[in-house]
Amino acid sequence: MLCSITSACLKGIEGYIVNVEVDIAAGMPSLTLVGLPDQEVKEAKDRVLAAIRNSGFDSPTKKITINLVPAEIKKNGTHFDLPIALGILGASGQLSDAALEKLKDFVFIGALGLTGELHASAGVLPMLIALSRQGKKRAVIAQDNLQEAAYACIDIFSAQNLRQVVDLLEGKIPFEQNREKNPEFLNIEEVYSEDFSEVKGQSLAKRALEIAAAGGHNVLMMGPPGTGKSMLAKRFATILPPLEREEMLEILQIYSVCGLLNRRKNNFQRPFRDPHHTISNIALVGGGQNPRPGEVSLAHNGVLFLDEFAEFSRTSLEVLREPLETFKVTIARAKETLTFPAKFTLIAAMNPCPCGYHGHKVKVCNCTPVQISRYKAKISGPLLDRIDLTVNLMPVNFSDWEKKSEGPTSKEIRQRVIAARQIQKERFKNTQTTANAFMSVKQIKEFCALPKDGAQVLELAMKKLGLSARSLDKILKTARTIADLEGSKDIKKEHLMEVLQYRPLDRKGVSDI
Amino acid sequence: MNFEEKLARLKVNSFSYLRSDWLSQMIEIFSSAEELLRQDAKTISKEGKIPLESAEAFLKSCAMLDAAKEMEKTEKSGGKILFNGEEDFPQRLTEIKEAPLLIYVRGDLGDVQRAAVGMVGTRKISPYGRRAASKLAGDLAQSGVVLVSGLARGIDSVVHAEAVKNQTPTWALIGTGIGRCYPAENRELARAILDTGGAIISELPFDAPPLAHHFPRRNRLIAGLSDVVVVVEGEVKSGALITAKMALDQGLDVMAVPGPIDSPTSGGPNKLIKEGAGMVLCANDIIDAIPVQKKFGLKVKKLYNESKAPSEPLTEQEQKIFDLIGEDSKSIDDLALETDLQITQLSAILFSLEVSGIIICTDGKYSRNKFN
């Protein structure tokens, strides 16, 4: 007898429908699994038969053939256990006709333990989203996946074990019983344990981060150890605007694929990823045998903080160039090409030299000029080109530290950021662009018109300060954000002058070497 | 000097561990470099009073160098080799202690007897050293003095760059062969020096690498080609001070740019001043020290009469910020703290001050532009 069950699988972070066909025929007892199953899928054989037995059903001693359609795409994941088990039960005549009929209304995703218990599996949310797009209405999943699954527009039954699923099909448990309401997205109050006002002084860096949050710009902080670079970066998340529903869904899908979603409570904050500088290239941008999203994708719609920027391996830094430019990572293989979204704000922090004290007011730097220039040269020109704001942080000495003002709280800054984002939202209506930093060249032309005296400022800066012409676009984008923060319709010359504060590396003869 | 002798001298010159006056002496003893090369190590060791191993190493190095190839490479690169004793060899260099046997020259030396000022200093330059070097070198270049330096990082590069900026010739005495550029980042500068009618000079074989003992040797050439040597910045033990000592040995005027007493990079010049070196407060102090007969043709007057360009009066706020910056350097954070102004307002004020050249910004810190 033949039985076909609908399930799904993942390709990158996109889900697609997979039909699990089970055929049972007379012959030598055996179980064959075809349709390019990966090792995890193949192991389903042993799990499923034990689970069937231990749930009080018979495991058939006949020739069982299982096919995963479409058969030409590689499948991985443990979530085929449940559909395979139900297929075997259906094909071996252990389900009633009514149950067999009902099977067709559902999709099944879940891993099985040997006792028949249902376990969570990775990537449930993107699979459900894909299924609902295909018009599927009802899904059965493991209890532990319920939280994330609730974000998909599909009715969900969450079961604890195989027996319960069969009971549902047999009509012994009503479907509605286990349905979870879609949660509310935007009414969640974010709670942070840190606040911007805790960092004393460093008003320039704080202002730069405010601009970065408002316009999605990348920031490089340079300064000796102990100047508060990491402290500031950690607090950057507290001034970011709240997540939009769409953004949230994108983040959840990526985290679902990586199996990183917290079972009990979902994280409603923007992601803040701070990988260590020994990270491998693949861990950073994604890839591997079964391609997985890397840190840049985990930081999607959030912040990627790279502390000790210059200590990252040269190749790791260079692979960052693509996502910084195109906001996605494309992993090309002979058979398939996968794309992971990676639209993040880069916050990088580095020392000015290997020993860290170059330019320090009190401590003496012991590095040779060659060492310093080599250290700075680790950050290549093309990479620097993708960083809009650069700030030099100076150490704060104690007497200053005492009197230095605390500055605005995260809440105050955040309100300004949200207001600026609102202006941008209005500006970029009906386009793909979400913030000033992501403007295309055409949009820069359209939205960043220069006032007359503004052009003069830039000309002066080029002539007198040696500003290079290639950074003009970035200056305009940043000036646009500063204008938005002020609620100004046009870019004014003051805005341009402020941007120049954040472009120290553009100036000629800036360094002491 | 015949061609064979030239080849022989190129070979003899290739062993940079021995002093050139020793070489000249040996050539005199054996009447020619060719003859010297025909000797065995024992004879050279005995006559030259050097250990046998050194003599062996010397002969080995001489044999290794393909002198004809050396000439060919030099010519191909657009350079030439000048031999001590020939007419075109700079007279200045024959007069120094340890006169070189020969020099490799790229570019144009022009009139070697022109007024020339050697400016040397540390590679680890401070913002003050940069300001001082560029101001002094710029003024000297404008007055028509040839600037002589070593094309190293730091002060040397600033000096050469000023000369290039003012389109005046400058001589770079380098510590490698002329077929190399060290440090590599100065390649552009080296090209610009040649383009503006300057010269790159070395006594080392065409491809000689930058070895530590090459640099003190070339310092004597810097002194040798200059009328005055000015030490801008340098620690008490540094190459700049070696140059100063060489200059004193050659009877030249040594001058130094004073600096803060607690700055390690000004230790050298301050010590020189204490010991009697001339103190440099402006470019005219240097020009005054150039021998009278060479001052002819220098555009000195202009410097004496130089008047400050009338600048627009500062606004009240600009003056306040300028006063706050004071003698030290301040970051925008410091200023924000002391004035209660917002970053936006401060940026605008600092921008107009910086553009008018009254203050300068280095690594995010603002300081007064002392030379404006």
Side-chain angles (χ1 to χ4, degrees):
Chain A
M1 213 179 135
L2 182 82
C3 185
S4 174
I5 315 276
T6 312
S7 185
C9 192
L10 283 177
K11 191 174 158 192
I13 57 159
E14 297 281 314
Y16 61 93
I17 292 195
V18 171
N19 278 319
V20 180
E21 300 172 341
V22 181
D23 176 70
I24 298 187
M28 285 282 283
S30 68
L31 196 154
T32 321
L33 189 54
V34 296
L36 287 186
D38 223 340
Q39 189 61 28
E40 300 144 26
V41 187
K42 274 184 200 156
E43 285 169 356
K45 282 183 193 176
D46 302 311
R47 279 196 299 268
V48 166
L49 290 181
I52 288 177
R53 248 192 334 270
N54 293 329
S55 300
F57 300 105
D58 289 333
S59 85
T61 46
K62 286 181 175 174
K63 181 174 158 53
I64 308 171
T65 310
I66 300 160
N67 183 27
L68 307 175
V69 185
E72 73 277 9
I73 307 176
K74 255 194 175 177
K75 326 251 172 353
N76 52 22
T78 52
H79 62 277
F80 288 115
D81 293 1
L82 178 62
I84 290 174
L86 290 171
I88 291 174
L89 290 179
S92 58
Q94 297 185 63
L95 297 178
S96 67
D97 286 349
L100 281 175
E101 201 50 45
K102 233 178 178 176
L103 261 181
K104 291 175 189 151
D105 297 343
F106 286 93
V107 295
F108 299 90
I109 297 167
L112 282 174
L114 297 190
T115 55
E117 202 180 336
L118 267 173
H119 292 300
S121 43
V124 168
L125 178 60
M127 288 193 253
L128 289 179
I129 288 175
L131 289 166
S132 77
R133 273 194 206 126
Q134 299 278 332
K136 301 290 171 195
K137 296 272 182 314
R138 294 173 164 191
V140 176
I141 58 162
Q143 184 102 56
D144 289 342
N145 282 127
L146 184 61
Q147 193 80 42
E148 61 175 286
Y151 294 96
C153 299
I154 194 165
D155 289 339
I156 284 155
F157 179 85
S158 73
Q160 270 152 3
N161 51 45
L162 181 60
R163 189 86 232 181
Q164 242 182 8
V165 180
V166 174
D167 285 348
L168 170 82
L169 295 171
E170 296 288 3
K172 289 182 192 159
I173 313 176
F175 176 73
E176 272 73 20
Q177 181 182 325
N178 243 327
R179 203 173 141 187
E180 178 90 350
K181 262 197 176 157
N182 280 0
E184 283 296 313
F185 278 94
L186 301 169
N187 296 339
I188 295 143
E189 189 60 35
E190 286 157 72
V191 189
Y192 293 97
S193 51
E194 291 131 344
D195 198 279
F196 246 67
S197 57
E198 289 160 7
V199 187
K200 288 204 171 186
Q202 306 300 11
S203 42
L204 185 72
K206 281 184 182 174
R207 171 77 176 162
L209 290 178
E210 177 177 338
I211 297 167
H217 305 281
N218 298 324
V219 185
L220 170 63
M221 293 190 281
M222 259 203 240
T227 44
K229 301 185 294 280
S230 312
M231 229 180 145
L232 283 165
K234 295 229 166 73
R235 281 153 185 77
F236 184 64
T238 66
I239 57 166
L240 288 169
L243 283 166
E244 307 264 326
R245 190 195 150 90
E246 272 308 307
E247 290 178 323
M248 174 75 122
L249 264 182
E250 286 165 8
I251 297 170
L252 286 173
Q253 286 188 55
I254 297 166
Y255 276 67
S256 168
V257 168
C258 295
L260 287 175
L261 282 183
N262 192 325
R263 268 178 229 161
R264 309 265 172 273
K265 88 178 192 319
N266 278 317
N267 197 350
F268 293 100
Q269 300 168 350
R270 284 183 187 267
F272 180 89
R273 305 293 300 187
D274 51 348
H276 189 252
H277 63 254
T278 52
I279 190 172
S280 72
N281 297 355
I282 295 209
L284 190 59
V285 292
Q289 202 182 9
N290 291 322
R292 264 171 61 106
E295 286 293 335
V296 293
S297 298
L298 291 173
H300 181 61
N301 288 331
V303 184
L304 181 68
F305 174 46
L306 301 183
D307 205 356
E308 304 300 348
F309 198 39
E311 301 294 341
F312 279 77
S313 82
R314 181 108 201 199
T315 49
S316 305
L317 292 179
E318 296 312 303
V319 290
L320 273 181
R321 276 153 59 170
E322 190 205 354
L324 280 174
E325 188 71 26
T326 58
F327 317 121
K328 60 180 194 281
V329 174
T330 307
I331 293 160
R333 293 285 160 79
K335 271 199 167 166
E336 55 181 1
T337 302
L338 297 175
T339 304
F340 296 130
K343 188 155 89 188
F344 56 91
T345 300
L346 174 70
I347 306 286
M350 66 184 276
N351 294 333
C353 69
C355 85
Y357 293 106
H358 184 68
H360 197 284
K361 274 181 190 159
V362 189
K363 290 198 174 146
V364 184
C365 163
N366 293 321
C367 307
T368 64
V370 194
Q371 278 177 314
I372 298 173
S373 53
R374 199 172 289 158
Y375 191 76
K376 285 187 175 164
K378 280 188 94 172
I379 315 298
S380 70
L383 191 59
L384 275 181
D385 267 356
R386 290 161 173 84
I387 294 175
D388 295 345
L389 302 152
T390 305
V391 269
N392 284 301
L393 281 87
M394 309 290 161
V396 180
N397 55 32
F398 185 73
S399 59
D400 282 352
W401 183 79
E402 260 191 324
K403 62 184 176 190
K404 275 203 173 161
S405 62
E406 293 188 336
T409 60
S410 290
K411 208 172 159 195
E412 290 163 33
I413 302 176
R414 192 159 184 251
Q415 269 161 3
R416 295 201 288 261
V417 168
I418 293 172
R421 283 274 175 147
Q422 199 55 42
I423 297 173
Q424 294 169 53
K425 215 168 153 187
E426 199 61 28
R427 173 179 309 138
F428 300 126
K429 231 175 6 192
N430 307 328
T431 65
Q432 290 283 314
T433 314
T434 50
N436 288 338
F438 311 123
M439 273 191 277
S440 66
V441 179
K442 207 175 133 206
Q443 283 170 323
I444 293 176
K445 250 193 189 149
E446 187 179 345
F447 300 120
C448 305
L450 271 183
K452 229 184 199 152
D453 48 357
Q456 222 170 5
V457 166
L458 288 183
E459 202 187 317
L460 265 177
M462 276 192 197
K463 223 161 52 193
K464 299 268 179 165
L465 312 183
L467 192 83
S468 66
R470 62 193 308 203
S471 44
L472 273 185
D473 275 1
K474 277 177 299 236
I475 291 176
L476 289 177
K477 282 196 253 185
T478 318
R480 183 66 261 172
T481 305
I482 295 177
D484 288 346
L485 271 171
E486 213 175 73
S488 161
K489 199 169 148 275
D490 300 311
I491 296 178
K492 292 190 196 134
K493 72 169 190 214
E494 289 78 26
H495 304 144
L496 290 165
M497 289 176 182
E498 187 179 346
V499 179
L500 294 175
Q501 291 292 335
Y502 311 115
R503 310 286 318 162
L505 297 176
D506 285 344
R507 296 167 190 225
K508 250 183 237 153
V510 59
S511 161
D512 287 353
I513 316 156
Chain B
M1 200 180 299
N2 64 27
F3 187 66
E4 268 65 42
E5 175 64 13
K6 280 185 178 173
L7 292 184
R9 288 201 177 196
L10 275 172
K11 278 173 179 284
V12 168
N13 185 64
S14 71
F15 192 60
S16 58
Y17 291 92
L18 289 168
R19 295 158 59 109
S20 56
D21 51 353
W22 180 86
L23 286 173
S24 318
Q25 220 177 355
M26 293 304 282
I27 291 173
E28 217 164 284
I29 291 174
F30 293 105
S31 79
S32 73
E34 264 186 289
E35 194 54 38
L36 170 62
L37 283 176
R38 286 197 200 106
Q39 309 300 318
D40 60 3
K42 239 183 201 162
T43 324
I44 292 178
S45 157
K46 202 176 130 228
E47 289 293 330
K49 298 185 184 69
I50 55 169
L52 189 62
E53 298 87 61
S54 307
E56 276 165 356
F58 167 67
L59 283 177
K60 204 173 151 200
S61 155
C62 294
M64 291 264 283
L65 187 89
D66 184 346
K69 189 89 183 269
E70 194 77 0
M71 281 192 160
E72 192 191 309
K73 276 194 281 194
T74 309
E75 240 161 69
K76 226 176 183 176
S77 75
K80 53 184 180 287
I81 304 172
L82 306 181
F83 291 87
N84 194 345
E86 301 262 276
E87 214 164 81
D88 54 358
F89 192 79
Q91 203 206 325
R92 279 175 195 258
L93 289 180
T94 61
E95 289 161 359
I96 62 175
K97 219 166 106 188
E98 283 185 62
L101 278 189
L102 52 93
I103 51 171
Y104 294 72
V105 181
R106 273 178 80 183
D108 188 12
L109 266 176
D111 174 14
V112 191
Q113 298 305 117
R114 272 181 292 177
V117 171
M119 286 185 83
V120 290
T122 179
R123 282 172 294 156
K124 268 181 111 172
I125 187 169
S126 75
Y128 165 71
R130 177 181 293 281
R131 288 201 305 273
S134 90
K135 175 68 179 168
L136 293 171
D139 285 351
L140 286 175
Q142 277 165 23
S143 72
V145 172
V146 178
L147 293 168
V148 187
S149 197
L151 198 63
R153 291 192 181 91
I155 299 283
D156 289 14
S157 301
V158 174
V159 169
H160 289 304
E162 277 301 327
V164 166
K165 207 167 99 189
N166 288 297
Q167 295 288 315
T168 53
T170 172
W171 297 332
L173 283 305
I174 58 176
T176 64
I178 56 166
R180 284 188 184 228
C181 185
Y182 176 84
E185 68 252 30
N186 275 352
R187 201 167 292 143
E188 267 304 295
L189 183 57
R191 197 189 46 72
I193 289 174
L194 296 179
D195 286 349
T196 46
I200 293 173
I201 306 149
S202 172
E203 63 170 326
L204 296 161
F206 190 79
D207 289 318
L211 300 179
H213 71 274
H214 288 168
F215 293 89
R217 277 172 67 91
R218 67 93 194 259
N219 287 347
R220 81 181 198 285
L221 298 185
I222 296 182
L225 280 175
S226 312
D227 294 304
V228 185
V229 167
V230 180
V231 180
V232 182
E233 254 195 334
E235 296 185 21
V236 178
K237 270 183 91 177
S238 65
L241 275 255
I242 294 177
T243 313
K245 195 179 156 289
M246 305 257 184
L248 284 176
D249 287 351
Q250 292 166 25
L252 294 178
D253 266 339
V254 170
M255 306 188 81
V257 179
I261 53 168
D262 59 351
S263 157
T265 49
S266 282
N270 285 349
K271 182 166 168 268
L272 285 174
I273 291 171
K274 192 178 161 198
E275 288 167 0
M279 192 193 291
V280 176
L281 299 177
C282 66
N284 284 330
D285 294 341
I286 302 169
I287 291 176
D288 283 343
I290 295 174
V292 183
Q293 67 273 20
K294 290 191 179 175
K295 276 195 207 163
F296 187 74
L298 291 188
K299 288 169 262 168
V300 184
K301 250 191 175 160
K302 186 183 155 206
L303 283 173
Y304 282 112
N305 295 341
E306 193 184 38
S307 63
K308 259 185 145 182
S311 53
E312 282 177 40
L314 300 182
T315 65
E316 193 184 322
Q317 267 190 329
E318 282 172 349
Q319 188 64 48
K320 191 174 152 204
I321 298 295
F322 183 69
D323 291 343
L324 268 177
I325 289 173
E327 294 304 312
D328 212 9
S329 60
K330 291 250 167 86
S331 71
I332 192 166
D333 277 327
D334 298 332
L335 295 170
L337 176 74
E338 286 168 38
T339 57
D340 289 327
L341 286 174
Q342 293 298 313
I343 296 284
T344 319
Q345 297 156 300
L346 266 176
S347 311
I349 299 168
L350 287 170
F351 177 80
S352 66
L353 283 174
E354 197 185 353
V355 162
S356 59
I358 303 172
I359 59 169
I360 50 173
C361 175
T362 326
D363 280 346
K365 276 177 290 188
Y366 288 91
S367 52
R368 286 187 185 176
N369 191 354
K370 303 267 167 61
F371 285 107
N372 201 303

